[in-house]
Amino acid sequence: MRLKAMLDAGEVQEVPDHPILRMLADPNDYLTGRSVTKLVQVYLDLVGEAFLVLERVAGFPVGFWPVPPNLVTRLPALDVPRDQRTFSVAVGGVTREIPAADVLHLRNLDPEDPLGRGVGPAFALGDELDTDEFVARFLRASFWNNMLPPAIASIEGLTDANSSGAKAFKESLAREHQGPDKAGKLLLTSGRVTFARLDTSFRDMQLVELRKFLMGFIRMTFRVPPEIVGDISSSNKATAFAARENLAEQATFPRMEFLRTEYQMRLMPLFGEAEAILDYDSPVPADREHQLRVMSTMPEAFSYDEWRDLAGFKPDPQRQGYPLPMPGQSSREETPASNGSPWELR
């Protein structure tokens, strides 16, 4: 808001073409700026840090390359002179020392070690993510029987499990109870039968409820509304529009501001632009319902162009100026006054 006020007052002006904008849009010959930004955000959300190695020409930065955090084996030592600090990066079994001045270390600070490696939300969600993965593996293994039969049946008088009587019993079970249309059918047999179940049903373990809980907990940690991930079980048109606003305000905007601040403090001085301000278009959509309520309160206070812009249309050269007051609304009338002034306001 302050920057917008400065723009309106003419104190600053937008620069649409600048070396840092070109570098952010086209960081190298293999990756686009959008891809690198997405990759950097994935690193920040998972492990809490990202590394960008600058590419220079004649000492001037012209691009950068993302480096996976797991390849950075050592951070610069703080007890050595600044111009001697280096990052240790292991690539293909070879360790390289990269000057700290050529590396942008973006990180979410670790409360236990603010000057060390970063820490991401996924690190705090380690138990929840592992539990969900283990549940999925358990379900997959269950379809392979996990080397255990679901139940054991013992029939009195049966001496051999491979006898004709046992085979006849199994064939009877398959004939009378196998298939989805025969589920829950009553079984009648002669003799005493002992039945012991070895497995636990998925319903008793509440695996579905557990996975739903974990999904919701992880989603809330990253501040993502359910409608964004396709969960519309309790959604309507109003909540769907509100979900996009909440995602932009609670998730997208803080991440963009984090990157803007880092680039402003780390990259901008390298271009010799001490007074330049790096900015971005806000991802938070305008509250059009609020605008409509305000404009409807006094329609004559807004021009035709403003009304058409709110509706998503271009200005109409044939319709300019301000609309007349709605019927029944008070208006300003210019009438002769009796106090010596030719006009008065009522």
Side-chain angles (χ1 to χ4, degrees):
M1 295 178 62
R2 181 179 179 185
L3 183 60
K4 184 178 184 301
M6 295 172 65
L7 284 170
D8 296 338
E11 299 177 2
V12 297
Q13 63 179 12
E14 184 177 356
V15 181
D17 188 19
H18 191 276
I20 190 173
L21 297 180
R22 294 194 295 269
M23 187 177 72
L24 292 175
D26 186 17
N28 55 66
D29 295 335
Y30 294 91
L31 302 173
T32 64
R34 183 183 182 91
S35 299
V36 172
T37 301
K38 180 178 180 180
L39 187 61
V40 166
Q41 192 57 60
V42 168
Y43 290 152
L44 291 173
D45 286 337
L46 292 181
V47 298
E49 60 182 356
F51 297 87
L52 299 175
V53 178
L54 295 178
E55 181 179 350
R56 298 176 184 263
V57 174
F60 191 80
V62 296
F64 52 82
W65 299 80
V67 176
N70 62 298
L71 299 182
V72 180
T73 58
R74 182 182 58 81
L75 300 184
L78 301 180
D79 56 351
V80 299
R82 185 179 297 271
D83 57 350
Q84 298 180 12
R85 298 175 182 175
T86 60
F87 286 84
S88 295
V89 180
V91 181
V94 179
T95 300
R96 297 180 54 187
E97 298 293 330
I98 302 179
D102 292 339
V103 179
L104 269 68
H105 185 195
L106 312 177
R107 56 182 174 169
N108 296 320
L109 299 183
D110 184 355
E112 293 184 347
D113 186 12
L115 300 180
R117 307 294 293 253
V119 60
F123 180 82
L125 292 171
D127 292 339
E128 286 76 10
L129 293 172
D130 288 343
T131 301
D132 185 74
E133 181 178 359
F134 294 154
V135 170
R137 290 184 179 182
F138 173 78
L139 292 175
R140 178 179 180 274
S142 298
F143 289 100
W144 290 91
N145 294 329
N146 203 22
M147 297 183 299
L148 289 177
I152 297 178
S154 175
I155 303 178
E156 185 177 2
L158 188 63
T159 57
D160 187 0
N162 295 321
S163 64
S164 58
K167 292 181 179 180
F169 181 73
K170 289 188 289 186
E171 292 174 358
S172 174
L173 286 178
R175 183 175 57 256
E176 298 294 334
H177 299 277
Q178 189 175 22
D181 57 330
K182 300 176 182 178
K185 187 176 180 181
L186 181 63
L187 170 65
L188 295 177
T189 182
S190 60
R192 181 178 180 183
V193 178
T194 303
F195 181 84
R197 187 170 188 132
L198 300 181
D199 64 345
T200 304
S201 66
F202 296 155
R203 180 182 301 177
D204 295 337
M205 290 187 290
Q206 297 184 338
L207 295 182
V208 175
E209 290 76 7
L210 175 61
R211 298 204 70 183
K212 286 183 178 180
F213 168 78
L214 294 174
M215 180 182 67
F217 187 84
I218 295 171
R219 177 178 50 76
M220 288 187 292
T221 301
F222 285 98
R223 300 180 180 180
V224 177
E227 290 82 1
I228 301 300
V229 295
D231 183 2
I232 57 174
S233 56
S234 58
S235 177
N236 52 49
K237 185 177 181 179
T239 58
F241 279 98
R244 294 185 294 178
E245 297 180 1
N246 291 337
L247 177 71
E249 183 177 353
Q250 300 296 329
T252 308
F253 176 76
R255 287 165 169 79
M256 294 183 67
E257 185 61 21
F258 172 83
L259 293 178
R260 188 205 70 82
T261 304
E262 293 290 330
Y263 292 155
Q264 178 73 40
M265 299 298 295
R266 308 288 184 87
L267 283 182
M268 194 62 74
L270 302 180
F271 292 89
E273 300 284 355
E275 298 181 357
I277 301 175
L278 185 63
D279 196 30
Y280 56 87
D281 294 330
S282 175
V284 182
D287 190 348
R288 293 187 175 272
E289 292 187 2
H290 173 72
Q291 293 179 354
L292 181 60
R293 288 194 299 268
V294 172
M295 296 176 69
S296 300
T297 303
M298 186 177 290
E300 68 274 14
F302 302 91
S303 66
Y304 286 111
D305 289 347
E306 291 172 324
W307 278 104
R308 293 182 63 85
D309 179 70
L310 180 64
F313 296 101
K314 296 181 179 179
D316 185 0
Q318 304 298 326
R319 186 180 291 272
Q320 298 293 321
Y322 292 80
L324 296 176
M326 298 293 291
Q329 288 185 329
S330 61
S331 62
R332 296 179 177 180
E333 299 178 359
E334 296 177 342
T335 57
S338 59
N339 55 0
S341 173
W343 306 99
E344 71 173 0
L345 217 56
R346 293 194 301 177

